[in-house]
Amino acid sequence: MIAQLDPNGAEDTRHRILRIAFQLFHEQGYHATGVATIAREANVNPGSLYHFFESKDALLLAVLDFALDYLGPAVMDPVEQATTDPVERVFVLLQNYRQRMARESCRLGCPIGNLALEVSDGNPAARELLHKNFENWTGRVERWLTAAGDRLPRDVDRRRLARFVLTVMEGGLMQSRAAGHLGPFDEATALLRDYFSRVGVSTARSRRGRKTRHAKGKVTKR
Amino acid sequence: MIAQLDPNGAEDTRHRILRIAFQLFHEQGYHATGVATIAREANVNPGSLYHFFESKDALLLAVLDFALDYLGPAVMDPVEQATTDPVERVFVLLQNYRQRMARESCRLGCPIGNLALEVSDGNPAARELLHKNFENWTGRVERWLTAAGDRLPRDVDRRRLARFVLTVMEGGLMQSRAAGHLGPFDEATALLRDYFSRVGVSTARSRRGRKTRHAKGKVTKR
DNA sequence: GTCTATAGAGTGATAGAC
DNA sequence: GTCTATCACTCTATAGAC
């Protein structure tokens, strides 16, 4: 990654454009965000923007590349600092997404997921980078699950389970945005936790000695 | 629903616009699709389009309303004709989505899901209709699960499980579009089936006497 | 209801001085 | 690298004859 701070700690212009573009694409989508708006919000002139990126399309690719580096410091590292329990990290991660959604009144959702549905079809290079972002995300979760060792049954495929976590999260975020409340997301994460339990993942909860009958508050009625 | 066919079986102009707009929004997204394109594809003049819909925004709402009626005949009814087994209907439904994705080389995805992520935030009326579309979908699946009677443990919340089916499907479609292949979608549906099995849903498979250890080819390694 | 024509704003992108 | 100015085009939406 190219340096983004000069010796005085000021942010690189190119980096500032990327950060703002990433944010605006997240808030408004790719097609709904004009180049002029990005330039204005980033305090640069349109001409300067086109000095760094030869087209809006090229900017999108750079943003998706930027997102690859953004994930760790902004999303995953805080989770690892919040808890050392590798299984619980999965659910702290989901709760952090929940907090963000709550803060935004169920708007925005996942920046990568949004772009995946908006620009994948007509843009192979973007599609590839979106895929890498997802793999980046699931790779990190997979490492947690692997670190959990024998707390997962040996025959559980860690990678598949990690991808399933992403599947459930994206599906839950989508429905919560349409619903306008966090109910669907909470339901989805509850059923995911139930699945973990039934698969035989020993969670912090179950290790605290609580009797797990898989059931309460998950797929089963209360 | 307003009549869409005249006595000669010709399609109503308004209905044709809605059908074409629904298709184009699905293929290209809302913002990427121009009103002029919709008019051209529907063989009407822009002026005529604005005779029926006072704005592009109003057209979107009408399309989302159109989708509510579209779901049954185009998506759900064929599933009910394909199998009478209420549990298997869930997985036939998922396989039908899979077939559509395969036919389109992992493009397009779910028309409602795409719009949910693109237009929910800035358009409360659209958000409400998108939510209704999801509820429409899950309501139908819930009816199947309810019809399955005691093949599901009594304490399983049918509605929650139906929403989870949608969650997994949307998450799987999203990742398959980014990946460019059906692997993620197939994985997601396999893990969903595994969850059904572990929850204690008796499927056509398990009723055929196959020994279910939940495991093979699902979350567990082969 | 349908047609042609076009307004007025906004779009992505470029030129060329500094 | 940054600035101003602007091009060529597309966008949504409208006017008004038929």
Side-chain angles (χ1 to χ4, degrees):
Chain A
M1 194 176 170
I2 297 166
Q4 57 198 65
L5 297 180
D6 71 13
N8 301 325
E11 189 183 19
D12 195 47
T13 300
R14 183 189 140 93
H15 187 269
R16 190 170 66 253
I17 295 172
L18 287 173
R19 182 173 54 78
I20 296 287
F22 180 60
Q23 183 189 328
L24 289 172
F25 289 164
H26 187 195
E27 291 172 1
Q28 309 184 319
Y30 175 72
H31 289 102
T33 304
V35 174
T37 305
I38 297 169
R40 181 169 18 88
E41 294 289 308
N43 283 311
V44 299
N45 303 297
S48 299
L49 193 150
Y50 279 96
H51 168 74
F52 292 103
F53 310 99
E54 70 171 348
S55 67
K56 187 186 182 185
D57 200 83
L59 174 58
L60 171 64
L61 299 185
V63 162
L64 291 174
D65 194 65
F66 167 84
L68 286 172
D69 297 319
Y70 178 86
L71 181 75
V75 179
M76 296 308 200
D77 295 350
V79 171
E80 298 191 350
Q81 278 158 13
T83 175
T84 56
D85 183 305
V87 173
E88 210 48 38
R89 277 174 175 170
V90 174
F91 295 98
V92 169
L93 175 63
L94 295 177
Q95 285 313 298
N96 285 1
Y97 274 91
R98 185 194 195 279
Q99 274 194 340
R100 258 170 242 137
M101 274 289 270
R103 212 163 40 226
E104 303 289 350
S105 310
C106 287
R107 300 219 194 88
L108 308 195
C110 169
I112 303 302
N114 296 351
L115 288 172
L117 297 202
E118 194 184 355
V119 306
S120 280
D121 288 359
N123 192 332
R127 190 198 57 64
E128 182 65 32
L129 280 165
L130 288 159
H131 179 56
K132 274 189 188 161
N133 270 279
F134 281 149
E135 290 290 298
N136 200 13
W137 198 98
T138 53
R140 192 82 168 236
V141 173
E142 180 191 5
R143 261 177 277 162
W144 295 342
L145 295 176
T146 300
D150 63 3
R151 288 173 55 195
L152 281 71
R154 193 177 308 167
D155 63 354
V156 167
D157 187 325
R158 273 74 174 156
R159 185 145 199 79
R160 284 185 165 212
L161 189 54
R163 286 212 197 89
F164 195 60
V165 173
L166 179 58
T167 300
V168 172
M169 194 196 70
E170 294 288 0
L173 287 178
M174 178 187 287
Q175 283 178 79
S176 272
R177 286 183 71 196
H181 59 82
L182 286 162
F185 183 80
D186 289 339
E187 252 186 54
T189 52
L191 265 70
L192 181 68
R193 206 186 254 280
D194 185 47
Y195 183 55
F196 268 58
S197 165
R198 290 176 194 271
V199 162
V201 178
S202 121
T203 65
R205 251 180 224 191
S206 63
R207 300 213 299 176
R208 276 198 300 272
R210 185 187 295 196
K211 189 149 201 176
T212 5
R213 282 178 305 169
H214 310 301
K216 301 287 175 194
K218 305 298 190 296
V219 73
T220 46
K221 298 169 185 170
R222 274 163 294 210
Chain B
M1 193 175 172
I2 298 166
Q4 56 200 63
L5 297 181
D6 70 12
N8 300 326
E11 189 183 18
D12 196 45
T13 300
R14 184 189 140 92
H15 187 269
R16 189 169 68 252
I17 295 172
L18 287 173
R19 182 173 53 80
I20 295 288
F22 180 61
Q23 182 189 330
L24 288 172
F25 288 165
H26 188 195
E27 290 172 1
Q28 310 183 321
Y30 176 72
H31 289 101
T33 303
V35 174
T37 305
I38 297 168
R40 181 168 17 88
E41 294 290 309
N43 282 311
V44 299
N45 302 298
S48 299
L49 193 152
Y50 278 95
H51 169 73
F52 291 103
F53 309 99
E54 70 171 347
S55 68
K56 187 186 181 184
D57 200 83
L59 173 59
L60 171 63
L61 299 185
V63 162
L64 291 173
D65 193 66
F66 167 83
L68 286 172
D69 297 319
Y70 178 86
L71 181 75
V75 179
M76 295 309 200
D77 295 350
V79 171
E80 298 192 350
Q81 278 157 13
T83 175
T84 56
D85 183 303
V87 174
E88 209 48 38
R89 277 175 175 170
V90 174
F91 295 98
V92 169
L93 175 63
L94 295 176
Q95 285 313 298
N96 285 2
Y97 274 90
R98 184 193 196 279
Q99 274 195 339
R100 257 170 243 138
M101 274 289 270
R103 211 162 40 225
E104 304 288 350
S105 310
C106 287
R107 300 221 190 85
L108 308 195
C110 169
I112 302 303
N114 297 351
L115 288 172
L117 297 202
E118 193 184 356
V119 307
S120 279
D121 288 359
N123 192 332
R127 190 199 56 62
E128 182 64 32
L129 280 165
L130 287 160
H131 178 56
K132 274 190 189 161
N133 271 278
F134 282 150
E135 289 290 299
N136 200 12
W137 197 99
T138 53
R140 193 81 169 235
V141 173
E142 182 191 3
R143 262 176 277 161
W144 295 341
L145 294 176
T146 300
D150 62 4
R151 288 173 54 194
L152 280 71
R154 193 176 310 167
D155 62 354
V156 167
D157 187 325
R158 272 74 174 158
R159 185 145 199 78
R160 285 185 164 211
L161 189 53
R163 285 211 197 89
F164 196 59
V165 173
L166 179 59
T167 299
V168 172
M169 193 196 70
E170 294 288 359
L173 287 178
M174 178 187 287
Q175 283 178 79
S176 272
R177 286 183 71 194
H181 58 82
L182 285 162
F185 184 81
D186 288 339
E187 254 186 53
T189 52
L191 265 70
L192 180 68
R193 206 185 254 280
D194 186 45
Y195 183 54
F196 267 58
S197 164
R198 290 176 194 270
V199 162
V201 179
S202 120
T203 64
R205 252 181 223 191
S206 63
R207 299 213 300 177
R208 276 198 300 271
R210 185 186 294 196
K211 190 150 200 174
T212 4
R213 281 178 307 168
H214 310 302
K216 300 286 174 195
K218 305 299 191 297
V219 74
T220 46
K221 296 169 186 169
R222 272 164 295 209

